[in-house]
Amino acid sequence: MQQSGLLETEALGAAVTRWFLGDLLGVTSVAPAMMLALSRRDVRLQLPESGDYAPEPERLLWNIALTASYLLMAWGGSLGGHYALGLVALPLGILVWSAIRFPPLHTAAAIAVTMLLIAGLAGFGLAGYPAPQETREGVNLLAFLIVVAALPMILAFAMHQQRVTAAHLTQRATIDPLTGLANRNAFEERVRAELANPAAPPMALAYLDLDHLKLINDTASHVAGDALIRGVAGVVEASRHREDLLARTGGDEFALLLRNCTPMVAEDRVRVLLRAIEGYRCGWDGQMLGTTASAGLVAFQPGQGDYALLLSQADAACFTAKEQGGNRVCLASLDGGDLLDRTAAMRWVVRIRDALSSHSLELFCQSIVALRPDGDRGRHFEVLLRLRDPRTGELLHPAQFMPAAERFHLGARIDREVIGQTLAWLEANPTAAASVSTCCINLSGEALIDEAFFGFVAERLRRSSFPGDRLCFEVTETSAVRDLARAQRFITEMRGLGCRFALDDFGTGFCSFNYLRALDVDYFKIDGSFVRDMHASPLAEAVVRSINEIAHVLDKRSIAEHTETERDRQALIALGVDYVQGYAVDRPTPIADYFATPVPAA
């Protein structure tokens, strides 16, 4: 324009300023709307309802308000006056409303329309608005319009970013990142809402646990295990009914709320899911990985039970399904039924773990007395375990809690605790320890297969003043025969520490004596059921006699358990049994009381 003579040189600076501000007004007012409209991404995202934008009725109200602000602005300008442009505050307030309550694209479009309208009215002097006459007036007008356009847009993006952040946090709190399913918290919230609705149809809660996933993690890697879990989640998601709710509640555990189904229908649905899981294969590093799943199922009516009870019953049923071999469904009922023993076992586990954590297991001792004059010199006894009920103070015997401990793989932990407490007591009482010839401690079958158990005993004896050759570990016949090679290796390693061994409950599980040559034990403990029945059953007496003779042939010693009466003891002497243990000698007493009394005589 300057080159053509349309613009004088002295007016060049003002023209450039007005041109720049005009472009900036276009950038701040029109460009955001065009960019958002042409963008392929949905800026609004998929926000949860709690952080979503305003509903349609509010949008309609907003449109009416914006249109009314335009009309009021035009009417005010037609009245004349120097402050007519101040009516721009009306649409500006409506734009701030839009920035707070609506998506950025909605606000950007409204800003573009508003700015074009105001710029047109003020720039051309329409509707009573005076057109700027001087450069300064034009610059001021453009700067004012730029600020009016920019402020709502900045606020709109700030509010949108806040919503996006809140949505991401909500998603992280409710969505499992590995599978994209609902997580445990979100699932519990949804189920509790269903339970609170008395008009809801019959439902069922299923608890699924993948079988042997640890093998995948250990052999192929945890990344492969995660890939398998992700694939299984997709299979279950694709196979479930549309109205059912699926969630991943743990490492390899899933929960499923089945709506509108009877127990039989629910069981059929879950079987379909298990078949789909069994047929799924995940390719990983040149191999095809697969797994199966076990499921526990509990059917209920809304309001029939709370969420904790339902989940507990479904989990218990799932555990039962695993114990039965896996890849099956176990149906539970709210009254417990055949799952009461499992629930009771879970309660025992809690109490046992508390006792282990607080080192509050109580040790009792019962003598093992020689029936022959060449027997042990000193105290020969067995350490017996007791657990005191914290509520009633009742002293509980191992038969009441050890089945639960073994079921939930706490046997080795209990063995470690008993060994630790026994050695600690003997170390603290050296005079009592000096009177001990043999201290017998029971070991669970789990200890025989625990690779770290030998290291624990070796380390504990290394730090102990009590010699290892006075310890005798008792292992049951059934646990030893279950894995004979491992049991023999364990016994050999422990004998290297000086420890001795007894084969406990002998006679209850054998079908052949061939394995006796492989087990290097010192004592055979004749099961008490045969000892009690000797006088009434010739077969029981024959079993006792034969076990005693086999022990002597193998150069071992025999111990008769549960010797209850003097008559039993005399009969055992006549049979040539080496030792007896039972009420005929003494009763189990706390370890401190036991050492406070004289050594029982034969």
Side-chain angles (χ1 to χ4, degrees), residues 186-453:
F187 182 77
E188 179 177 348
E189 184 177 348
R190 294 283 299 275
V191 174
R192 289 187 185 278
E194 294 284 349
L195 292 174
N197 180 14
M203 290 178 284
L205 180 65
Y207 194 88
L208 281 70
D209 191 354
L210 301 186
D211 298 327
H212 312 301
L213 185 70
K214 189 175 185 301
L215 295 177
I216 303 294
N217 290 334
D218 292 344
T219 57
S221 78
H222 284 266
V223 178
D226 288 345
L228 184 61
I229 291 173
R230 193 161 44 243
V232 168
V235 168
V236 177
E237 174 71 11
S239 303
R240 69 176 177 87
H241 282 217
R242 181 178 301 177
E243 67 271 17
D244 295 342
L245 176 63
L246 176 64
R248 180 185 177 218
T249 58
D252 58 351
E253 299 162 351
F254 298 86
L256 186 68
L257 180 67
L258 300 96
R259 294 186 174 95
N260 193 23
C261 60
T262 62
M264 185 176 297
V265 171
E267 196 170 359
D268 289 339
R269 286 195 199 174
V270 175
R271 283 201 179 97
V272 170
L273 297 179
L274 296 189
R275 284 196 294 270
I277 294 173
E278 184 180 14
Y280 172 72
R281 292 295 180 271
C282 173
W284 182 267
D285 195 22
Q287 52 185 324
M288 300 303 292
L289 305 178
T291 187
T292 58
S294 301
L297 184 67
V298 56
F300 61 93
Q301 296 282 347
Q304 192 174 358
D306 62 13
Y307 175 77
L309 174 63
L310 295 173
L311 187 64
S312 173
Q313 293 295 334
D315 187 15
C318 180
F319 187 88
T320 302
K322 277 187 170 294
E323 286 185 324
Q324 294 173 355
N327 195 24
R328 66 191 65 216
V329 184
C330 181
L331 182 62
S333 59
L334 288 177
D335 58 3
D338 58 349
L339 297 174
L340 282 176
D341 61 333
R342 205 277 173 159
T343 304
M346 293 171 66
R347 295 193 184 100
W348 275 118
V349 168
V350 173
R351 294 159 72 179
I352 293 169
R353 284 177 174 165
D354 288 343
L356 290 172
S357 300
S358 60
H359 305 288
S360 58
L361 293 174
E362 299 188 21
L363 303 182
F364 279 55
C365 297
Q366 187 177 34
S367 297
I368 299 173
V369 176
L371 296 178
R372 302 192 320 189
D374 60 345
D376 294 339
R377 302 282 181 175
R379 293 184 184 269
H380 185 170
F381 63 95
E382 179 182 356
V383 176
L384 303 173
L385 184 61
R386 300 290 186 266
L387 177 63
R388 193 170 297 277
D389 192 321
R391 296 169 299 176
T392 64
E394 178 188 2
L395 205 58
L396 305 172
H397 290 248
Q400 297 174 266
F401 59 85
M402 280 305 295
E406 292 175 353
R407 186 175 186 179
F408 287 89
H409 309 294
L410 291 176
R413 282 190 60 186
I414 293 176
D415 294 341
R416 290 171 185 244
E417 182 66 17
V418 172
I419 293 172
Q421 284 191 219
T422 302
L423 291 177
W425 193 94
L426 293 172
E427 291 160 3
N429 298 271
T431 303
S435 68
V436 175
S437 64
T438 305
C439 173
C440 298
I441 299 176
N442 285 284
L443 293 184
S444 64
E446 189 177 333
L448 298 181
I449 61 175
D450 186 349
E451 299 293 342
F453 191 80

Side-chain angles (χ1 to χ4, degrees), residues 368-376 380 522-524 526 544 547-553 555-560 569 572-581 602:
I368 299 173
V369 176
L371 296 178
R372 302 192 320 189
D374 60 345
D376 294 339
H380 185 170
D522 301 275
Y523 303 96
F524 289 169
I526 306 169
V544 173
I547 293 175
N548 180 64
E549 292 175 354
I550 291 170
H552 292 165
V553 167
D555 197 22
K556 316 294 183 186
R557 295 292 177 263
S558 59
I559 303 173
R569 184 160 69 168
L572 293 167
I573 292 174
L575 291 174
V577 173
D578 299 299
Y579 297 88
V580 293
Q581 177 183 1

